[in-house]
Amino acid sequence: MKTDDLVTMLATGSTAVRRRTPSRRIGLALLAGIALSLLILFTGYGVRDDLRQVIALPMFWVKLLFPLCVAVWAFVSVQRLARPGVKVRRAWMGLAAPVLAVWAMAIMAWFSAPMADRMPSLLGQSWRTCALSIGLMALPVLAAALLALRGLAPTRPALAGAAAGALAGGMGAAVYAMHCVELTSPFLAVWYVIGMMVPVIAGAALGQRLLRW
């Protein structure tokens, strides 16, 4: 087939893609990924025994809502990056705001705590496994989001992959929060953020390879 004939065929055979198609595909992928993350939680970790008691504590909701806010803004970023020429705009600020808020809380808690309590509030009981566990919970969401993006048209593959990683990291941390026993802001500011950064880095690297046109 000649080049001119191919161009003509593509031009006359093109059809409009519905505006909400990227959001729908990414949303369905997110639901599938969350279902698998919850399966990992219930089969491999379990929900903390005193969940009914700790939901009355403000720090439990900080631990849960902080990564969920990251995930919400990451979803906005992903569905914009899935469309050619669509700007991310202020979504990056929305991603950074929850992290900065938790860091500010951690700094205040660190300097207001007695010296003997500072390191325990930072390390808790699970600092060795926290980031790895969040990364494991995030893996199904990352895989599903990248698969959805492959069927769309991201023109900035590394950036789109990183946004998918932020979405996965936020959801993974929120799922893990139902098992985690830690309730101090220094712990969240360090180990939860590290755990969420792992899929961001992985998503950027994989996106550069898998999301190229």
Side-chain angles (χ1 to χ4, degrees):
M1 181 181 291
K2 294 182 181 180
T3 303
D4 292 343
D5 294 336
L6 176 61
V7 171
T8 302
M9 183 186 72
L10 292 174
T12 56
S14 61
T15 56
V17 177
R18 293 182 179 179
R19 186 174 182 180
R20 295 183 179 179
T21 296
S23 299
R24 185 181 302 110
R25 288 186 181 180
I26 297 166
L28 290 174
L30 178 60
L31 290 176
I34 292 173
L36 291 174
S37 296
L38 289 171
L39 182 63
I40 294 173
L41 171 71
F42 291 128
T43 59
Y45 288 79
V47 175
R48 56 184 296 172
D49 297 332
D50 60 345
L51 185 62
R52 291 184 178 180
Q53 287 73 44
V54 297
I55 59 175
L57 302 176
M59 275 307 300
F60 172 80
W61 292 103
V62 171
K63 181 173 66 173
L64 183 65
L65 294 177
F66 150 54
L68 281 178
C69 288
V70 172
V72 167
W73 283 105
F75 179 84
V76 173
S77 302
V78 171
Q79 60 92 18
R80 287 179 179 172
L81 287 165
R83 302 185 182 99
V86 177
K87 296 181 180 180
V88 181
R89 298 176 183 171
R90 298 181 180 178
W92 295 125
M93 295 174 61
L95 277 170
V99 177
L100 294 175
V102 168
W103 281 350
M105 290 177 59
I107 291 171
M108 290 187 291
W110 179 268
F111 286 106
S112 62
M115 189 68 69
D117 294 340
R118 290 180 179 179
M119 288 306 295
S121 72
L122 175 62
L123 300 179
Q125 304 174 36
S126 59
W127 68 273
R128 291 182 179 88
T129 58
C130 176
L132 181 62
S133 297
I134 289 174
L136 180 61
M137 303 287 182
L139 185 59
V141 179
L142 177 60
L146 289 175
L147 186 62
L149 284 171
R150 277 181 63 84
L152 298 170
T155 55
R156 291 162 285 180
L159 203 58
L167 173 59
M171 290 309 309
V175 170
Y176 177 69
M178 292 187 287
H179 167 81
C180 178
V181 298
E182 314 296 347
L183 289 172
T184 62
S185 53
F187 187 95
L188 300 180
V190 175
W191 305 110
Y192 268 57
V193 172
I194 291 175
M196 290 189 288
M197 282 302 300
V198 171
V200 171
I201 296 169
L206 291 171
Q208 186 65 33
R209 287 178 167 234
L210 301 178
L211 301 181
R212 289 180 179 178
W213 285 21

